[in-house]
Amino acid sequence: MTQGFTLWLTGLSGAGKTTIAIELERQLADRDVRIERLDGDTVREGLTRDLGFSKVDRDKNIERVTFVAKLLSRNGVGVIASFISPYRAARDTARQETTNFIEVHVATPIDTCAARDVKGLYAKAFAGELKDFTGVNDPYEAPVSPEITLHTERETLNESVQTILTYLEARGLIPVAEPALSIS
């Protein structure tokens, strides 16, 4: 059985976590890697729809996701978890409880995230109309020593994904990509 892993993408809303996770999932599936993607928005539609955005509820949300990631990763499945997950302690617990935990900080500046915000949530938070919004009126505790740091404001999607793939290959968690054949 192949080794499972938990790739935990953390960063502000609009940082690019979901976009990276979707492309990463596609490329890993193309390599026949057993992979599951857990995303903040989709998990809140089912597994955690009973939770709000208070600190207690955010911690409970990540606790539930960690449990799912633990089950999958210990059974040889690669997990891509893309969540704001604003609190270090919750991410530290995920690190302790899952297999081959890799923290990926999608370290996109808040002004870039706000410019990407199609729902207008940052504007509402900056205007005081939205409370408990991470990075504006609720804290985001950036990782201290993530295994990978991405800067989506200056990297292409492919560059960000390739950084992660290279790391996973180097750790022996995924097969090394076959070089493309050139036909002359």
Side-chain angles (χ1 to χ4, degrees), residues 36 50 65 108 119 126 157 165 173:
E36 288 292 335
D50 60 318
V65 170
T108 308
K119 296 178 187 173
F126 288 136
L157 173 59
L165 292 172
L173 296 170

Side-chain angles (χ1 to χ4, degrees), residues 97-119:
E97 293 187 9
T98 63
T99 301
N100 294 316
F101 183 91
I102 302 154
E103 188 172 44
V104 180
H105 183 202
V106 185
T108 308
I110 194 166
D111 58 327
T112 301
C113 294
R116 292 176 179 170
D117 181 21
V118 295
K119 296 178 187 173

Side-chain angles (χ1 to χ4, degrees), residues 98-167:
T98 63
T99 301
N100 294 316
F101 183 91
I102 302 154
E103 188 172 44
V104 180
H105 183 202
V106 185
T108 308
I110 194 166
D111 58 327
T112 301
C113 294
R116 292 176 179 170
D117 181 21
V118 295
K119 296 178 187 173
L121 298 176
Y122 277 99
K124 289 179 182 176
F126 288 136
E129 299 168 18
L130 189 61
K131 59 181 247 178
D132 298 331
F133 193 78
T134 303
V136 177
N137 47 30
D138 202 57
Y140 175 74
E141 299 170 354
V144 175
S145 299
E147 284 77 7
I148 300 170
T149 301
L150 303 175
H151 299 278
T152 63
E153 78 283 5
R154 62 177 186 247
E155 297 169 356
T156 66
L157 173 59
N158 191 53
E159 288 169 334
S160 294
V161 169
Q162 191 55 53
T163 297
I164 296 169
L165 292 172
T166 299
Y167 183 90

Side-chain angles (χ1 to χ4, degrees), residues 18-172:
T18 297
T19 302
I20 292 166
I22 290 169
E23 179 60 19
L24 186 60
E25 177 185 36
R26 186 191 68 73
Q27 290 195 32
L28 289 170
D30 286 350
R31 295 187 192 194
D32 294 324
V33 174
R34 292 176 61 203
I35 195 77
E36 288 292 335
R37 183 173 58 86
L38 305 173
D39 183 76
D41 289 338
T42 55
V43 166
R44 279 193 177 270
E45 289 174 8
L47 183 64
T48 63
R49 73 174 146 239
D50 60 318
L51 300 176
F53 292 93
S54 68
K55 181 174 185 332
V56 169
D57 283 356
R58 288 175 192 254
D59 284 343
K60 180 59 77 176
N61 180 49
I62 297 306
E63 180 183 311
R64 291 179 189 175
V65 170
T66 297
F67 181 75
V68 173
K70 174 177 139 179
L71 294 176
L72 291 167
S73 64
R74 78 175 183 201
N75 284 290
V77 176
V79 176
I80 303 168
S82 52
F83 294 84
I84 294 171
S85 47
Y87 308 117
R88 273 189 211 110
R91 294 191 308 266
D92 289 346
T93 298
R95 178 181 295 278
Q96 293 165 3
E97 293 187 9
T98 63
T99 301
N100 294 316
F101 183 91
I102 302 154
E103 188 172 44
V104 180
H105 183 202
V106 185
T108 308
I110 194 166
D111 58 327
T112 301
C113 294
R116 292 176 179 170
D117 181 21
V118 295
K119 296 178 187 173
L121 298 176
Y122 277 99
K124 289 179 182 176
F126 288 136
E129 299 168 18
L130 189 61
K131 59 181 247 178
D132 298 331
F133 193 78
T134 303
V136 177
N137 47 30
D138 202 57
Y140 175 74
E141 299 170 354
V144 175
S145 299
E147 284 77 7
I148 300 170
T149 301
L150 303 175
H151 299 278
T152 63
E153 78 283 5
R154 62 177 186 247
E155 297 169 356
T156 66
L157 173 59
N158 191 53
E159 288 169 334
S160 294
V161 169
Q162 191 55 53
T163 297
I164 296 169
L165 292 172
T166 299
Y167 183 90
L168 293 171
E169 288 174 347
R171 290 264 319 262

